[in-house]
Amino acid sequence: MRLAVLVIDMLRDFVDGPLSSPRFRRVVPCIARLLEAARSRGIPVIYVNDSHLPKVDRELELWGPHAIRGSEGARVVEELEPREGDFIVLKRRYSGFYGTDLDTLLRELGVDTLMLTGISTDVCVLHTAADAFFRGYQLIIVEDCVEAFTEEGHRWALEYMKRVYGAKLARLEEAIREIERASR
Ligand code: ZN
């Protein structure tokens, strides 16, 4: 297994800004612990960040302005700021693969398994998981490192990814053990 950890949309606009939910902030410490484990074991960390073009991206009509390219709100939250050696992929759609070089990067890194974290479980995590599945990647979703606006949406999306994309669901401790296994 060649593993990479994806951090999806842990941006200021989602955690503290116009599209925030109190549910989103609670995944921050979990993701921080996971990233620490990944970095210390040499597992690549890839941020997949919304970076919208104003007046162009249709998503903005549906959700209102958020994560506008170059704005403060489009920055990763302070606690999870990217470190040297991490990768950053900018996206304009829900999926981290659509119109980005994520797939090229993963192939260059020799990655075959993605560990997904971030928000929200039933939108950007779900669509990224779908595109990963179509491209042949194995999926591990870290249950306590993903969140949605509602518990119902969160649970539904986890079950959907498990059933339809064969994703493995793992709690944080189990995910850290996977990272340790993958780094051997
Ligand atoms: Zn967006």
Side-chain angles (χ1 to χ4, degrees):
M1 176 173 68
R2 299 290 297 275
L3 187 66
V5 177
L6 263 55
V7 184
I8 300 170
D9 283 339
M10 290 306 291
L11 309 178
R12 292 167 193 218
D13 273 353
F14 293 108
V15 178
D16 303 307
L19 284 187
S20 66
S21 152
R23 301 175 61 91
F24 293 162
R25 180 145 277 289
R26 65 190 193 203
V27 298
V28 170
C30 271
I31 296 176
R33 279 197 55 202
L34 192 78
L35 296 187
E36 203 180 287
R39 289 183 187 117
S40 70
R41 299 273 176 164
I43 301 295
V45 172
I46 304 172
Y47 289 81
V48 179
N49 295 346
D50 248 7
S51 179
H52 288 301
L53 300 186
K55 300 195 185 104
V56 174
D57 290 0
R58 276 192 61 205
E59 257 189 46
L60 301 175
E61 291 168 27
L62 295 160
W63 299 91
H66 65 275
I68 301 298
R69 185 164 300 181
S71 70
E72 269 299 297
R75 293 181 59 188
V76 171
V77 292
E78 216 180 332
E79 299 91 325
L80 300 176
E81 249 169 30
R83 308 276 175 80
E84 205 185 322
D86 294 345
F87 299 92
I88 299 172
V89 171
L90 302 182
K91 66 183 179 70
R92 291 172 48 209
R93 300 289 191 270
Y94 302 136
S95 167
F97 287 91
Y98 191 97
T100 74
D101 68 351
L102 178 59
D103 190 48
T104 307
L105 173 65
L106 293 170
R107 285 176 199 284
E108 285 165 342
L109 295 172
V111 167
D112 59 21
T113 305
L114 303 181
M115 192 171 264
L116 299 191
T117 73
I119 50 182
S120 69
T121 324
D122 53 353
V123 187
C124 291
V125 175
L126 181 78
H127 286 275
T128 300
D131 272 344
F133 173 74
F134 300 150
R135 287 164 177 77
Y137 295 99
Q138 300 290 328
L139 289 163
I140 301 168
I141 318 291
V142 190
E143 285 182 76
D144 23 21
C145 292
V146 293
E147 257 303 351
F149 285 102
T150 65
E151 180 65 22
E152 194 189 9
H154 174 68
R155 283 283 136 211
W156 170 83
L158 286 177
E159 285 308 311
Y160 188 93
M161 290 186 279
K162 183 177 167 186
R163 186 165 51 86
V164 178
Y165 310 140
K168 179 178 175 179
L169 307 183
R171 309 292 294 183
L172 176 64
E173 298 306 328
E174 199 185 339
I176 289 175
R177 282 198 295 276
E178 290 278 4
I179 284 173
E180 287 165 0
R181 261 200 295 278
S183 66
R184 265 179 219 148

